[in-house]
Amino acid sequence: MSKCNQIFDPRFWSQCWDEANTDSPITFTKATEKKWQTYWNSISDVYQDRTAFDKELARRTVNLLETEGIIKQDFKVLDIGCGTGTYTLPIAKRVFHVYALDSAKEMLNRLIQNASEDSIKNLTIINQSWYRCRYKGEFDLVFTSFCPAIRDTASLMKMHRASRQYLCYVTSCQEADIFKQIRQDLWERLTGKPFGIYRSFDVIYPFNFLYAKGLMPSLKYITHSYTYEVSVEKQIIQHERFFEIFTDVDRQRIKSTVKDYIEKRFKDSIIKTEIKRRIA
C-alpha cells in the first residue's frame, strides 16, 4: 500500500497511536492501574485546586456542546475519568442525569462534596475502572477529558459502543507549560535519561482514526489562558508520588531530588505562572 493510501486506512492511525504509547515515557496500563489509583487518590486535593482554574474552560466547552446540540435536557451522560467533577457538574446542570465514573475513590469523594455544595443531585457515582466496564448503547452522550484509560483506538471504540448518539473526546493539541518542564527535568535527574517524546494524548491520532473509519468526527479547538498559583509544598508532594509510579529509584532519593530541585527553582513558597491551554 502506498504512503498516500495508508493515511486513509484506520489501521495506520491505530498503529501510529500504539507507537506513540510505546515511545511514551509515561505508561497507562492494566499493570500500572493500582499505582495510578494510589497516585490520584493521594493528590485529590492538589487536583481539586488545579481544576478550580479550569472552570471557565469547562464552562466554554459545555456551552459549545450545547450549541452543537450534543447535550440536551433529556440526555443520560457518562463521564469517564470524571475526577472531582470539572466537567461533570456543568454538564449535570443541563441534562437529565450524569453517570460519573472514576477509579479513584478520593476523587469521587470530592466530587460528591462539590455536587452537594452546588445542590446537584442528578448524579450516579461509579467507583470503577473503565477497563472493567461493559456498556453498550446505554447513554446519549459519552464524554471524557484527558482520561488515561482512553488512549488507543480499542478504548476509543469502546466509548463509541457505550453511546447511542454522541461521543465527546477532549484532548490536547501542542500544549506546553512550566509543570511539564519540571517533570522532564526531574525525570533526567532521577533516571539519567532524557524524558523523550510524550504525544499519547495528541488529537492527531483519534481524529484521523475516526475520519479514516468513516465516522466523520467534528473537530473544535478552545484556547484558555489564566494565572495559576500553587504552593511549592503541594508540587513537591505531587511529583514525589508521580515518580514513585515509574522509576525503580528508592523513595528517599525521589523525595530528596524532587524537594531540592523545586525549592531551588522556586524561591518563594508559591509558584505563580501563566498557563495557556489549547484543547481539541
Side-chain angles (χ1 to χ4, degrees):
M1 185 183 294
S2 72
K3 289 184 178 179
C4 288
N5 287 333
Q6 275 186 329
I7 65 172
F8 292 100
D9 185 342
R11 292 171 297 181
F12 170 78
W13 291 105
S14 181
Q15 181 181 351
C16 287
W17 205 353
D18 287 343
E19 289 177 0
N21 285 319
T22 300
D23 294 340
S24 172
I26 301 176
T27 57
F28 301 90
T29 65
K30 289 183 180 179
T32 60
E33 183 181 2
K34 288 192 179 299
K35 288 185 176 181
W36 275 110
Q37 286 178 11
T38 300
Y39 170 74
W40 290 119
N41 280 321
S42 69
I43 67 155
S44 60
D45 59 334
V46 180
Y47 187 85
Q48 169 99 328
D49 291 346
R50 176 71 184 261
T51 56
F53 291 88
D54 283 334
K55 283 185 177 179
E56 175 60 18
L57 178 61
R59 185 192 67 79
R60 291 174 59 197
T61 303
V62 175
N63 282 349
L64 176 62
L65 295 179
E66 189 171 44
T67 300
E68 295 284 321
I70 296 171
I71 56 173
K72 298 178 182 177
Q73 288 183 347
D74 60 345
F75 271 19
K76 288 171 59 179
V77 178
L78 174 65
D79 184 1
I80 305 169
C82 60
T84 60
T86 310
Y87 290 93
T88 312
L89 301 181
I91 289 175
K93 293 178 180 179
R94 310 188 196 200
V95 301
F96 174 69
H97 203 87
V98 177
Y99 295 79
L101 184 147
D102 205 293
S103 62
K105 190 172 183 178
E106 288 304 315
M107 290 284 189
L108 292 174
N109 287 340
R110 290 184 180 274
L111 167 58
I112 292 168
Q113 181 181 347
N114 293 337
S116 177
E117 291 173 357
D118 217 359
S119 299
I120 293 173
K121 298 180 180 179
N122 57 332
L123 293 178
T124 295
I125 304 299
I126 307 171
N127 184 200
Q128 189 173 355
S129 165
W130 176 241
Y131 294 123
R132 291 165 176 74
C133 293
R134 295 290 182 271
Y135 296 116
K136 188 173 182 179
E138 297 177 39
F139 306 97
D140 299 291
L141 167 65
V142 178
F143 177 92
T144 193
S145 173
F146 294 91
C147 178
I150 305 169
R151 47 184 262 146
D152 57 25
T153 55
S155 52
L156 185 68
M157 293 309 292
K158 185 177 175 180
M159 277 186 71
H160 178 68
R161 290 191 295 273
S163 174
R164 55 178 171 243
Q165 291 197 60
Y166 298 108
L167 164 72
C168 179
Y169 182 86
V170 178
T171 193
S172 67
C173 45
Q174 301 177 342
E175 281 193 312
D177 62 49
I178 192 173
F179 299 104
K180 291 184 179 180
Q181 185 61 54
I182 292 171
R183 184 178 292 175
Q184 290 173 9
D185 290 347
L186 284 169
W187 186 279
E188 292 191 24
R189 282 167 168 76
L190 287 165
T191 68
K193 301 175 183 178
F195 185 72
I197 299 173
Y198 178 43
R199 294 177 178 164
S200 299
F201 283 105
D202 197 293
V203 68
I204 191 172
Y205 306 115
F207 177 81
N208 283 299
F209 168 76
L210 293 170
Y211 181 85
K213 205 166 177 63
L215 293 172
M216 305 305 290
S218 173
L219 178 61
K220 306 287 184 182
Y221 298 107
I222 299 178
T223 301
H224 176 57
S225 300
Y226 57 91
T227 301
Y228 177 62
E229 294 185 18
V230 63
S231 72
V232 165
E233 181 182 3
K234 286 187 176 181
Q235 276 298 295
I236 290 172
I237 293 171
Q238 180 175 352
H239 283 86
E240 283 175 2
R241 290 168 183 171
F242 172 81
F243 282 102
E244 287 172 5
I245 301 175
F246 297 107
T247 70
D248 295 326
V249 180
D250 67 86
R251 192 170 187 179
Q252 189 53 47
R253 188 186 161 209
I254 291 174
K255 289 174 69 71
S256 61
T257 302
V258 170
K259 187 173 187 294
D260 181 66
Y261 171 84
I262 292 181
E263 286 185 346
K264 283 184 177 178
R265 179 160 183 169
F266 304 99
K267 304 298 183 183
D268 298 325
S269 58
I270 297 293
I271 301 172
K272 186 175 181 179
T273 184
E274 296 298 316
I275 300 288
K276 183 175 183 180
R277 299 201 67 192
R278 182 180 292 116
I279 64 170

